[in-house]
Amino acid sequence: ETANGSSFVHIKQQCRPSSSLAQLEVMRRAALCLGSLTAVSGKVYFSETFGDGWESRWTASEWKKSDGTQGTWKLSAGKWFSNEEEDKGVQTAEDSRFFGLSAGFESFSNAGKELIIQYQ
């Protein structure tokens, strides 16, 4: 803005697109947004929040059970959390042990598609 303040307003008025160009720009941006939604959508084949009954959906390994070095799992939000109930997940309950945990899910094929595995 200049000392008298008028040139700033004048510049904005000169650069403002006509209403038809503005509408075209809005439509272009909307199309890009909608197009990006289809580009990032995908099917979720497995999701777990470790809510009630998680023990029945998961199987703990018994590989080291016979020699007494198998660890156990517990449900915990850990030391640092925002919401204790919402942030719970499985945690190893002991140090220096062997751990294994698995869960089944329906068979699928990702032939010709990328497979993304994500955990938090």
Side-chain angles (χ1 to χ4, degrees):
E1 188 170 329
T2 64
N4 67 9
S6 63
S7 65
F8 180 71
V9 174
H10 183 69
I11 291 170
K12 284 181 79 174
Q13 288 175 347
Q14 284 181 339
C15 295
R16 195 177 84 200
S18 69
S19 63
S20 62
L21 287 176
Q23 289 174 348
L24 185 60
E25 179 63 16
V26 168
M27 290 173 45
R28 185 184 70 83
R29 287 184 183 187
L32 286 172
C33 288
L34 291 174
S36 67
L37 288 176
T38 59
V40 297
S41 67
K43 181 172 168 74
V44 175
Y45 292 98
F46 180 82
S47 179
E48 176 65 75
T49 59
F50 296 101
D52 292 337
W54 71 271
E55 298 96 337
S56 66
R57 295 186 297 272
W58 289 82
T59 303
S61 171
E62 296 185 355
W63 174 52
K64 291 288 187 169
K65 188 174 186 175
S66 63
D67 63 9
T69 59
Q70 177 181 325
T72 57
W73 298 93
K74 68 178 181 177
L75 189 63
S76 173
K79 293 179 184 178
W80 299 280
F81 52 84
S82 176
N83 180 312
E84 187 172 8
E85 285 304 310
E86 290 180 7
D87 294 342
K88 284 186 177 179
V90 290
Q91 182 180 35
T92 56
E94 305 160 286
D95 293 333
S96 303
R97 300 288 178 165
F98 290 94
F99 297 90
L101 194 62
S102 64
F105 53 91
E106 292 183 27
S107 179
F108 69 93
S109 173
N110 68 314
K113 303 175 197 167
E114 290 185 356
L115 176 62
I116 299 171
I117 300 173
Q118 177 180 337
Y119 63 94
Q120 298 177 349

